[in-house]
Amino acid sequence: MSFEDRERKIIQLVKERNYISVKELTKLLYVSEPTIRRDLTLLDKKGLLKRNRGGASYISRQQTQYPQAFRHDENIQEKKYIARLASQFVQNGDSVFMDASSSCFYLAQYINRDKKLNVMTHGFAAAKELAKSSNINVEVVCGKYDIFNDAVYGADACNYVRSRYADICFMSMGGLDVSQGLTNLYLEDAEITRVYHQQAKKTILLADHTKINCKYYIKVFDLAEIDVLITDRPLPEEFDTFCFDHDIDVIFE
């Protein structure tokens, strides 16, 4: 098993149990204790878990962002459900922005390949999926590549987005809150997402139920600024009322 595979499995186990010992990990992953200790030390340095004496403990999503490959495996059915609903908004001839979220990766899988589209993204997973169709013109923004998120960020990336205009922008967020708005953990994510929103006629937010009423460190923009919220369950009453009062279309079925 490669380190990347162990990394994903260790994070998954720590998340499920909140704490797991080195001895348990050696039995479950069939590797030596020195190997597990080295893995935990590296993951601790990345901020993906807390290395404790004899094991490791979970760090909540409000405190850290997990690698893109790991996020692809979270809430898969919910994200696919949302992606299928979102794909119905894409019309032939549209220009589309998509962020680097795992939700947009699944959206890329559901978009009709027969439609002629212009799509721009800073996420490589979605770009590679969309590029399978000769009808879809795919642009990846220029900038600094981040292997952790398999995406491009920075001032150059934001300026590149400003040179385009889209009919629709699809994005996801770390958290959604009525009072705090849309939030993410890292500034780089927030910066490019704001530019997508500014350069698009319509902003559609893809968010499964686990993100509702969650707050992260960086505010991106107000919840009232989105046009459509696509989720997988009915919203809490306060959230639903807010969306109604601010003319936000809510879709979950």
Side-chain angles (χ1 to χ4, degrees):
M1 182 184 292
S2 67
F3 170 68
E4 289 75 17
D5 290 335
R6 289 200 309 276
E7 177 182 62
R8 294 170 68 181
K9 188 63 177 177
I10 289 169
I11 293 171
Q12 180 184 347
L13 289 166
V14 171
K15 180 183 177 183
E16 290 173 352
R17 304 185 184 197
N18 286 318
Y19 173 85
I20 191 167
S21 69
V22 170
K23 290 186 180 296
E24 287 180 285
L25 286 169
T26 59
K27 292 177 181 178
L28 291 169
L29 301 180
Y30 304 102
V31 292
S32 67
E33 288 192 14
T35 297
I36 290 296
R37 292 194 186 96
R38 285 195 297 270
D39 290 349
L40 295 181
T41 298
L42 288 171
L43 292 170
D44 181 88
K45 288 180 179 178
K46 290 182 178 181
L48 301 176
L49 50 73
K50 178 65 176 176
R51 180 81 163 90
N52 306 120
R53 184 178 178 85
S57 55
Y58 175 63
I59 299 177
S60 75
R61 287 295 298 270
Q62 277 71 26
Q63 296 172 287
T64 192
Q65 179 169 306
Y66 290 104
Q68 179 71 298
F70 180 79
R71 298 200 302 274
H72 280 179
D73 293 338
E74 284 190 308
N75 303 325
I76 293 175
Q77 295 309 313
E78 291 87 348
K79 289 175 181 177
K80 287 185 175 181
Y81 176 80
I82 291 168
R84 180 177 57 80
L85 294 176
S87 68
Q88 299 172 23
F89 282 84
V90 181
Q91 302 299 315
N92 190 51
D94 276 349
S95 294
V96 179
F97 292 153
M98 296 174 63
D99 72 5
S101 65
S102 55
S103 295
C104 281
F105 165 71
Y106 288 114
L107 170 59
Q109 296 179 343
Y110 278 92
I111 287 177
N112 188 328
R113 298 295 194 268
D114 293 329
K115 292 179 179 177
K116 293 186 179 296
L117 305 169
N118 288 309
V119 180
M120 186 165 69
T121 181
H122 65 293
F124 282 78
K128 287 185 284 189
E129 186 66 32
L130 292 166
K132 295 175 183 178
S133 170
S134 60
N135 291 319
I136 301 177
N137 176 47
V138 182
E139 284 188 280
V140 178
V141 302
C142 63
K144 183 178 180 181
Y145 178 67
D146 180 353
I147 192 171
F148 185 81
N149 290 303
D150 196 25
V152 173
Y153 297 98
D156 287 337
C158 291
N159 287 332
Y160 194 95
V161 177
R162 290 189 183 99
S163 71
R164 301 292 188 270
Y165 178 80
D167 299 293
I168 306 173
C169 170
F170 293 102
M171 62 177 65
S172 188
M173 287 289 154
L176 292 73
D177 182 81
V178 167
S179 60
Q180 298 301 315
L182 312 181
T183 55
N184 261 331
L185 188 61
Y186 292 109
L187 182 61
E188 292 82 0
D189 284 324
E191 287 174 337
I192 195 166
T193 304
R194 286 191 196 109
V195 181
Y196 280 140
H197 171 62
Q198 293 163 2
Q199 296 296 113
K201 183 178 180 181
K202 177 181 287 188
T203 296
I204 299 179
L205 186 66
L206 315 180
D208 67 68
H209 68 279
T210 64
K211 298 181 177 183
I212 305 298
N213 291 327
C214 288
K215 288 175 270 190
Y216 283 73
Y217 183 58
I218 304 292
K219 180 171 180 176
V220 185
F221 51 83
D222 289 331
L223 178 62
E225 295 183 49
I226 68 169
D227 299 289
V228 181
L229 170 59
I230 304 179
T231 187
D232 60 308
R233 295 184 186 179
L235 297 173
E237 183 177 354
E238 179 189 15
F239 220 100
D240 191 55
T241 299
F242 180 92
C243 290
F244 179 82
D245 291 342
H246 291 83
D247 296 322
I248 300 169
D249 291 331
V250 178
I251 297 170
F252 57 86
E253 64 178 3

